[in-house]
Amino acid sequence: MNQISTTALSDYELTQAIGRGVIANIGDLYERHRHKVYAICLRMTGNKSEAEDLTQEVFLKVYRTLHSYRPESGALETWIVRVARNHFIDHYRRLGVGEFLLLFHAAPGDPRREPMRQRLGELGIEPALEIA
């Protein structure tokens, strides 16, 4: 496979090159967007180790689904953030915390809020986002 310099490529050009197999790995795309994805994962989990794991998982999913990215629908970074968000939700559904978003979206005083906080605590997840 031919390798090309990726530093001057736009995100779109880089995704096209990866799709054609010109670039054997997603490393350049990862380096461009990993800080944003990690920050999101850290904000959602409050746990550095889990955020690192989720960031890697997100980029594996990005690589596997890159063919579905449509530039006319928005910026690549926006698409990657959406992949990260969906992966985060799926991750917690698999852990049996399907309603974890209630912690973030329930109004203060909502009786569903405290049980969700307790369930997340049992899983070792401290809420990093809180709606007052």
Side-chain angles (χ1 to χ4, degrees):
M1 271 182 234
N2 297 331
Q3 292 289 325
I4 60 175
S5 171
T6 59
T7 55
L9 295 179
S10 69
D11 279 344
Y12 175 73
E13 292 167 329
L14 183 57
T15 62
Q16 293 301 300
I18 292 169
R20 289 190 311 269
V22 174
I23 298 170
N25 61 49
I26 197 171
D28 294 308
L29 197 60
Y30 175 80
E31 286 302 318
R32 287 185 190 184
H33 298 283
R34 71 184 169 95
H35 296 293
K36 176 86 169 183
V37 171
Y38 174 76
I40 291 167
C41 292
L42 182 60
R43 189 170 61 240
M44 297 300 277
T45 65
N47 179 300
K48 290 180 181 181
S49 178
E50 188 171 10
E52 290 168 359
D53 290 344
L54 286 171
T55 298
Q56 290 179 5
E57 292 171 13
V58 165
F59 276 97
L60 288 172
K61 186 175 260 186
V62 164
Y63 184 69
R64 286 192 311 268
T65 60
L66 198 55
H67 64 277
S68 68
Y69 166 63
R70 301 287 177 256
E72 61 273 7
S73 296
L76 179 63
E77 182 175 75
T78 303
W79 182 79
I80 291 173
V81 166
R82 189 170 33 244
V83 170
R85 178 190 159 277
N86 291 340
H87 184 74
F88 181 77
I89 291 169
D90 291 345
H91 172 75
Y92 283 102
R93 280 186 184 145
R94 283 190 303 272
L95 292 176
V97 191
E99 296 181 21
F100 79 97
L101 288 175
L102 287 174
L103 178 62
F104 304 118
H105 296 292
D110 186 315
R112 297 171 297 171
R113 191 172 178 161
E114 191 55 34
M116 184 52 56
R117 177 191 299 275
Q118 289 173 352
R119 178 69 179 119
L120 289 172
E122 290 167 9
L123 293 171
I125 301 166
E126 292 298 322
L129 293 176
E130 189 76 36
I131 296 176

